[in-house]
Amino acid sequence: MQLLAAGALAFMVLACVNLASVFLVRSHGRARDVGLRLALGASRTRVVRPVLVEVLAVTLAGTFVALLIGRAVFPALLKQVPSIAYGNAPTGIDLRVVLLTIGLGLITALLFTFVPAWRATLRDAQSLIRTGASHGSGPSWR
């Protein structure tokens, strides 16, 4: 049972690392938007709030889908493991598993989104706008 739990935890850590890299890339791509909002006089909290709302929505939706998939797949996985491996231990997705999944997702999302977004608001607005301008959406041959 411990081996199964360790495998599940390793899978969860890999998912969190993947989520963190996606959020870091998206926050780097928002440099120009952050610079424009700051240049127009928006406060740090008004700049960071939409980013956090988007990330929390994506994280909670992904966590919900992951829990649904886990609930559907877990009985099939349990049939593959001999009953000697888990003995009389309770198996299933209970409140502890749900809370751990939600907690890890939220911690990952907040840590890898809030910190870069807040640090971006501390930079000079002009440098943020210039940074974002060099990564335009047009073709690179222009």
Side-chain angles (χ1 to χ4, degrees):
M1 188 65 181
Q2 291 175 348
L3 185 61
L4 190 60
L9 186 62
F11 185 74
M12 184 71 173
V13 168
L14 286 173
C16 287
V17 167
N18 188 21
L19 186 67
S21 67
V22 168
F23 289 150
L24 282 173
V25 167
R26 286 185 56 87
S27 69
H28 181 69
R30 287 196 171 126
R32 186 166 188 215
D33 181 47
V34 168
L36 285 173
R37 288 176 183 228
L38 290 173
L40 292 173
S43 67
R44 288 184 194 154
T45 54
R46 287 195 62 105
V47 171
V48 173
R49 188 180 308 144
V51 174
L52 288 179
V53 168
E54 176 188 349
V55 165
L56 290 177
V58 167
T59 301
L60 290 177
T63 302
F64 180 71
V65 169
L67 287 170
L68 286 177
I69 291 171
R71 186 170 178 172
V73 171
F74 190 75
L77 287 175
L78 207 54
K79 288 179 185 177
Q80 300 298 322
V81 177
S83 63
I84 279 183
Y86 55 87
N88 292 338
T91 56
I93 298 178
D94 59 353
L95 183 63
R96 292 178 299 168
V97 173
V98 171
L99 292 177
L100 177 70
T101 305
I102 292 171
L104 280 176
L106 289 177
I107 288 170
T108 302
L110 292 176
L111 182 67
F112 288 98
T113 304
F114 178 73
V115 173
W118 190 259
R119 287 185 68 201
T121 62
L122 298 175
R123 291 178 53 192
D124 180 38
Q126 280 186 338
S127 67
L128 287 172
I129 293 171
R130 283 191 209 121
T131 301
S134 65
H135 302 292
S137 60
S140 59
W141 50 268
R142 280 200 241 178

